[in-house]
Amino acid sequence: MARGNFSQVTEFILLGLSDTRELQVLFFIFFFLAYVMILLGNLLIIVTVRTDPKLSSPMYFLLCNLSFIDICCTSVTCPRMLVDLLSQRKVIAFEDCIAQLFFLHFTGASEMFLLTVMAYDRYTAICKPLHYTTIMSRRVCWVLVSSCWAGGFLHSIVQTLLTIQLPFCGPNKINSYFCDVPSVIRLACTDIYVTEWLMASNSGLISLACFLVLVTSYTFILVTIRIRFTEGHWKALSTCASHVMVVTLFFVPCIFIYLRPFSTSPSDKHICMLYTVFSPVMNPLIYTLRNNEVKASIWRLWKRCKV
């Protein structure tokens, strides 16, 4: 992987969440338990959806893919953070830092696009119920999910190229627990005015555009439900409420972080925890505790395992 001219930095030092040893131990315990919950909760959803024929609708197909992306996205940052919390010197090689940055944006952007597709799925189910099975066929679902991954890859390639073309020849301390474009490019030994604007127009505007599409979708859904309210629409509205909670946890911090060129704050690393840790933790809880079909399927799976 080529680097910018005159780059001399071979490693970065991650300052992490705290310098206090006692707090580091507490953070390790908390985030270890959170990571285990993410793995077990999302794996449970994947296994449940894949093994229960009653959960064959497009909504559950997309939910299964969301759980897989959550596992991938969290695994980019959490294992490294857990190791660093127990290490005296939190060092990451330049190449490892760039790789972490690439896969974070790859999975993160893919999740943004997938959440937008899930909103479109709910819009179609509620506003166009007679054409739902035709519009959201299994083939269309596969195309949409593949497009989400492709879009995430293209986004991440752009972000990575914006970073590696910069020269790094001096400061190497990153005030965070993982490598990300905003924190890394500020260590470059050059003017990053254009790079920051490109970063904001890429990550920031993608986050904002997806969020606006989501808001528009749910506005149409609420209008439709208000006009022709039925018991079935109430069930759909409950599902949408779960989706809105996930969207809020994920998109609001992303928009705040990536749509602010030339601005940084020590609290940014704590805000990042909302979409790197807390959102993946909450997804299985929100989608299972508020969904009777998923809870019933998990109970049937549990009874089969006991037998």
Side-chain angles (χ1 to χ4, degrees), residues 163-231:
T163 304
I164 63 175
Q165 55 86 28
L166 297 172
F168 296 92
C169 53
N172 68 337
K173 293 183 179 180
I174 299 175
N175 188 21
S176 185
Y177 56 93
F178 67 98
C179 291
D180 197 6
V181 174
S183 55
V184 172
I185 64 174
R186 290 189 176 94
L187 301 178
C189 304
T190 187
D191 183 12
I192 59 171
Y193 179 88
V194 175
T195 304
E196 286 204 297
W197 273 112
L198 289 174
M199 180 269 291
S201 63
N202 191 327
S203 294
L205 288 183
I206 285 177
S207 304
L208 182 61
C210 289
F211 184 71
L212 292 177
V213 170
L214 286 160
V215 170
T216 303
S217 298
Y218 287 118
T219 301
F220 279 113
I221 289 172
L222 290 174
V223 170
T224 300
I225 291 176
R226 183 179 179 183
I227 293 175
R228 52 175 191 269
F229 185 83
T230 65
E231 185 176 349

Side-chain angles (χ1 to χ4, degrees), residues 46-206:
I46 293 172
V47 172
T48 302
V49 173
R50 294 297 299 272
T51 57
D52 194 336
K54 293 184 178 180
L55 301 182
S56 59
S57 69
M59 181 180 74
Y60 295 113
F61 173 78
L62 297 174
L63 175 59
C64 184
N65 281 274
L66 176 65
S67 294
F68 177 72
I69 291 181
D70 273 339
I71 291 174
C72 295
C73 189
T74 310
S75 296
V76 174
T77 57
C78 263
R80 176 83 204 192
M81 177 179 62
L82 292 173
V83 171
D84 286 342
L85 285 171
L86 299 180
S87 304
Q88 292 294 329
R89 193 163 181 261
K90 304 169 179 59
V91 176
I92 184 170
F94 182 93
E95 290 77 12
D96 294 341
C97 183
I98 297 300
Q100 187 181 61
L101 181 153
F102 170 81
F103 285 108
L104 176 69
H105 281 268
F106 180 26
T107 55
S110 299
E111 181 163 353
M112 284 186 186
F113 297 138
L114 183 59
L115 288 170
T116 307
V117 169
M118 292 176 72
Y120 173 72
D121 171 73
R122 290 299 84 206
Y123 162 78
T124 306
I126 296 172
C127 300
K128 300 181 180 180
L130 298 179
H131 304 283
Y132 177 64
T133 55
T134 303
I135 296 174
M136 295 299 294
S137 65
R138 182 51 63 100
R139 180 177 176 275
V140 170
C141 288
W142 275 111
V143 170
L144 290 173
V145 170
S146 300
S147 299
C148 291
W149 283 104
F153 179 80
L154 291 175
H155 161 77
S156 186
I157 282 291
V158 172
Q159 294 293 89
T160 304
L161 291 176
L162 285 174
T163 304
I164 63 175
Q165 55 86 28
L166 297 172
F168 296 92
C169 53
N172 68 337
K173 293 183 179 180
I174 299 175
N175 188 21
S176 185
Y177 56 93
F178 67 98
C179 291
D180 197 6
V181 174
S183 55
V184 172
I185 64 174
R186 290 189 176 94
L187 301 178
C189 304
T190 187
D191 183 12
I192 59 171
Y193 179 88
V194 175
T195 304
E196 286 204 297
W197 273 112
L198 289 174
M199 180 269 291
S201 63
N202 191 327
S203 294
L205 288 183
I206 285 177

